[in-house]
Amino acid sequence: MRTMSTLVARLLNRLQPAFDALEVGADPVLRTSDRADFQVNGAMALGKRLGRNPRDVAQEIVDRLELSDLVSDVEIAGPGFINLMLSNEALVAQLEIMGSDQSLGVPAGPAATVVVDYSAPNVAKEMHVGHLRSTVIGDSLCRLLEFTGSTVIRRNHVGDWGTPFGMLIEHLLDLGEENAVEGLSMGDLNTFYTEARAKFDADDSFKERSRNRVVALQGGDEESLRLWRVLVGESVRYFDAVYRDLGVLLEDYDVVGESHYNPLLDAVVRDLDAEGLIVESGGAACVFPPGFTNREGEPLPLIVRKSDEGYGYAATDLAAIRDRVDTLGADRILYVVGAPQAQHLEMCFAVAAMAGWLGEETEAIHVAFGSVLGSDRKMFKTREGGTVKLKNLLDEGVERARQALIERDADEDLEIIARQLAMGAIKFADLSTDRQRDYVFDWDRMLAFEGATGPYLQYAHARICSIFRRADEGVEAGPIALDEPAERALARHLVALPDAIDATLESYSPSKLCSYLFELAQSFTTFYEHCPVLRAPDDATRASRLSLCELSATTLRVGLDLLGIEAPERM
RNA sequence: GCGCUCGUAGCUCAACGGACUAGAGCAUCUGACUACGGAUCAGAAGGUUGUGGGUUCGAAUCCCGCCGAGCGCACCA
């Protein structure tokens, strides 16, 4: 367990007793500020509660503060703000901690087991942009959670069960197993699915066969299961290829699809019934969690078993909650699932709570995200109106990045770097907008090398690496001094990494880390313009600036890695 | 109809109930190439925060009404 504390934690340690002296537990309301390094706003609210002049309260707090080792200047301003300027010594000390720590001074959070449910494509169906968001956001959250000491269990809840498998298996047989496998391994899942669907809609005998096949499959027929496994296997292999392209951490063993929960479904209904929660309605076994109503204002059920005795996704999701809590020991379950599923998930969580499967000590959180839109602000589609294949999208990104590199006469490792740039661009564009909102997919904006983009951050990193390549033998980083404003501004930004990560995990919003990194890159380039490093006026200054470069590069690289973005040394 | 999410600069987005100038980026305009990678930097311009009320010493932020957008609302997942 890492124990180092951040500057914010240290400031709070000093502030809290001063506030407690006036009112136990009063919140200092410590915030960053554009007028100082930090501002403390708590004196105003406290003054009001105590019926005293807030400026006097602020003064009394300041009188009680012992901050001289951290802060160089304290000022009371306006109606009762307390402005704090960090001392350069404190900044340098914090930078030294960062430099000597593998985790860059980011403290570990409380140890917890977190199950992250993300990506979740459907077997025998193409991955599309919706899966992109889930995959990219989920992957980043996993990386962040692991970085801060949580035990992360990834669950790729693929759609590998249900009525469509009857028609898919029959279609597989019609094509001939070998032919079908060949087509599937080339990743042409859309064609396969659409053909099956078309036959199902047009051909009654096919429809009949499909239905019989579902029954056989669900009844455990060996041959049907074998064919089903072929479909699943080929699809998972295809998903893997996309994950490798994207550079996400999902592995085969993270694939735990809907079928995994089949053996647990009977118990879900039985145990809900034992709790007296099951109500039969229209032949279906339902639970009516309070507070949910339908179009007519009547209570809305969560249907755990359909009137045809089959199970729907509600049963599966409930079984998954139990499995994750009981078997995996989850303290928290994150569902990185699109915003339209909000009501369904809320109902599942509510029912799980009613049944006692989710309690005080375990929480389920819907990490919802908005849709990817085209330039017309409608759901992102191809020109012909079809679904955009994720694979094609990624390939197009690589091609565009390659062209951009060729225009700039870069030819070294062109293929590798084009891929890194493209994935960085796509991921950063996705992660940097608030995940709740819909966002417009725009190649030109995300691949621009200006502005808040992946390539800009990668470029900032590559430039720093170039400094080290050019440094002469024997020129090394050394003790940091913060004499120039640009040096101090950079230092101030560097030490805020723990706060950025905190805020990111607090709200499960990688966009906050994106903003932090973009601002860091900006303050680095400002420093870079104003403060010559290799041509610094003297050795001590050069050594100090090299240290700042080193820390900046490491912070950018680690930060980008937490987003799942690579930081090439040249580009 | 009910519920959820959301309306901030021409465009894409920030802002955890706090400060006289509501911040960035893109695009626009003006500067800086004797360059440690100009895929850059410095600067300008651009906003009665959808609208009308309310709470507060203080509201983009909280509450209510209205207008507008997207999504969801019983057996497909």
Side-chain angles (χ1 to χ4, degrees):
Chain A
M1 169 75 99
R2 292 170 244 147
T3 51
M4 79 235 345
S5 39
T6 64
L7 280 169
V8 167
R10 276 197 250 163
L11 285 171
L12 279 173
N13 278 341
R14 313 296 178 80
L15 288 163
Q16 196 61 61
F19 275 82
D20 285 343
L22 291 165
E23 181 188 285
V24 176
D27 184 357
V29 195
L30 178 66
R31 297 284 134 88
T32 53
S33 173
D34 48 356
R35 316 202 160 203
D37 288 323
F38 289 100
Q39 58 184 42
V40 180
N41 302 335
M44 288 173 289
L46 186 53
K48 179 171 176 119
R49 284 200 300 276
L50 299 177
R52 295 181 49 189
N53 180 330
R55 277 192 75 104
D56 294 346
V57 172
Q59 187 60 57
E60 196 175 328
I61 288 163
V62 168
D63 290 343
R64 290 172 187 274
L65 282 174
E66 181 40 56
L67 290 170
S68 55
D69 57 328
L70 294 175
V71 165
S72 59
D73 191 34
V74 180
E75 166 197 56
I76 296 172
F81 297 98
I82 303 171
N83 292 334
L84 305 176
M85 287 304 286
L86 293 169
S87 69
N88 284 1
E89 292 73 25
L91 278 174
V92 168
Q94 198 66 26
L95 290 174
E96 280 165 0
I97 290 172
M98 278 182 86
S100 63
D101 176 27
Q102 280 252 304
S103 304
L104 292 175
V106 177
T113 298
V114 185
V115 172
V116 184
D117 181 325
Y118 71 106
S119 196
N122 291 310
V123 164
K125 270 179 121 172
E126 202 64 55
M127 292 182 79
H128 55 78
V129 283
H131 300 115
L132 175 71
R133 291 218 80 181
S134 177
T135 305
V136 166
I137 294 168
D139 204 56
S140 175
L141 292 177
C142 286
R143 290 164 185 258
L144 281 155
L145 287 163
E146 282 178 340
F147 187 72
T148 52
S150 292
T151 302
V152 172
I153 301 175
R154 297 171 169 78
R155 290 276 109 142
N156 191 356
H157 193 80
V158 300
D160 63 355
W161 202 250
T163 45
F165 283 89
M167 76 180 189
L168 293 169
I169 290 173
E170 287 304 320
H171 184 51
L172 178 97
L173 288 171
D174 286 359
L175 288 178
E177 211 172 306
E178 271 177 43
N179 285 340
V181 166
E182 196 180 334
L184 289 170
S185 66
M186 292 190 323
D188 200 0
L189 302 184
N190 272 359
T191 307
F192 187 88
Y193 192 93
T194 327
E195 284 172 359
R197 182 86 237 171
K199 274 198 278 181
F200 187 86
D201 290 336
D203 179 345
D204 282 342
S205 71
F206 184 83
K207 192 180 279 188
E208 182 64 25
R209 275 158 58 201
S210 300
R211 288 197 170 130
N212 293 338
R213 183 60 73 177
V214 176
V215 174
L217 180 65
Q218 296 186 336
D221 170 60
E222 267 313 314
E223 179 61 5
S224 300
L225 281 168
R226 190 187 66 77
L227 293 165
W228 169 75
R229 280 189 211 102
V230 170
L231 283 173
V232 174
E234 289 305 320
S235 296
V236 168
R237 186 155 14 144
Y238 175 71
F239 301 153
D240 258 347
V242 176
Y243 294 147
R244 293 295 83 79
D245 274 1
L246 258 177
V248 298
L249 299 174
L250 282 167
E251 301 289 346
D252 279 2
Y253 53 76
D254 298 317
V255 173
V256 179
E258 293 168 348
S259 63
H260 175 79
Y261 304 99
N262 287 345
L264 309 173
L265 300 178
D266 288 337
V268 166
V269 179
R270 191 186 61 226
D271 294 347
L272 286 172
D273 201 25
E275 294 288 330
L277 296 171
I278 294 286
V279 176
E280 202 201 289
S281 174
C286 303
V287 180
F288 289 88
F292 296 91
T293 54
N294 70 9
R295 226 178 285 270
E296 280 73 45
E298 297 152 355
L300 185 66
L302 188 70
I303 295 173
V304 286
R305 193 179 55 212
K306 299 183 286 183
S307 54
D308 67 0
E309 303 285 296
Y311 292 108
Y313 75 149
T316 307
D317 286 338
L318 287 170
I321 290 173
R322 299 183 85 179
D323 187 56
R324 289 161 182 184
V325 173
D326 297 342
T327 311
L328 302 179
D331 298 304
R332 213 179 328 156
I333 312 173
L334 303 184
Y335 289 83
V336 187
V337 172
Q341 298 285 337
Q343 184 174 268
H344 165 71
L345 286 172
E346 273 172 42
M347 290 178 77
C348 286
F349 298 164
V351 170
M354 288 162 79
W357 301 338
L358 281 172
E360 300 272 313
E361 64 289 344
T362 40
E363 51 177 352
I365 296 166
H366 180 200
V367 179
F369 55 84
S371 310
V372 181
L373 308 178
S375 51
D376 56 358
R377 302 210 55 102
K378 298 267 169 58
M379 293 296 282
F380 193 53
K381 291 277 158 85
T382 59
R383 215 166 294 163
E384 295 74 37
T387 310
V388 179
K389 290 170 72 166
L390 184 51
K391 175 80 176 134
N392 292 355
L393 192 81
L394 300 182
D395 290 346
E396 183 175 352
V398 174
E399 185 48 37
R400 284 173 180 264
R402 181 187 294 121
Q403 289 309 321
L405 285 168
I406 289 169
E407 273 169 37
R408 290 176 170 77
D409 297 324
D411 52 12
E412 223 177 331
D413 296 324
L414 186 65
E415 295 307 313
I416 295 171
I417 291 168
R419 180 165 298 281
Q420 291 174 321
L421 272 175
M423 297 310 137
I426 293 170
K427 286 181 171 181
F428 193 86
D430 199 307
L431 292 170
S432 61
T433 44
D434 185 305
R435 44 164 246 272
Q436 301 257 34
R437 302 171 70 122
D438 298 344
Y439 83 97
V440 176
F441 194 92
D442 181 343
W443 282 121
D444 291 335
R445 195 180 319 128
M446 69 178 75
L447 265 169
F449 298 121
E450 297 100 33
T453 66
Y456 173 87
L457 293 177
Q458 289 170 320
Y459 175 67
H461 174 263
R463 274 168 127 192
I464 307 175
C465 293
S466 152
I467 295 173
F468 286 99
R469 275 198 301 276
R470 285 172 179 271
D472 292 328
E473 193 80 13
V475 171
E476 281 174 11
I480 296 171
L482 304 173
D483 299 320
E484 296 293 324
E487 292 172 324
R488 194 190 185 280
L490 175 58
R492 172 69 188 91
H493 213 97
L494 284 166
V495 301
L497 175 70
D499 308 323
I501 288 180
D502 232 36
T504 301
L505 279 176
E506 172 86 17
S507 54
Y508 303 106
S509 300
S511 65
K512 301 199 173 175
L513 181 56
C514 291
S515 301
Y516 168 81
L517 291 173
F518 175 64
E519 285 160 17
L520 175 63
Q522 277 189 313
S523 71
F524 178 81
T525 44
T526 299
F527 156 81
Y528 179 87
E529 293 286 327
H530 292 87
C531 303
V533 178
L534 296 177
R535 296 177 195 165
D538 56 78
D539 290 353
T541 305
R542 182 172 59 199
S544 163
R545 288 177 182 172
L546 277 168
S547 289
L548 288 169
C549 288
E550 210 167 81
L551 269 174
S552 300
T554 308
T555 306
L556 283 172
R557 185 169 42 71
V558 170
L560 286 170
D561 183 63
L562 292 174
L563 298 173
I565 296 174
E566 292 181 86
E569 296 192 0
R570 302 165 192 262
M571 50 192 276

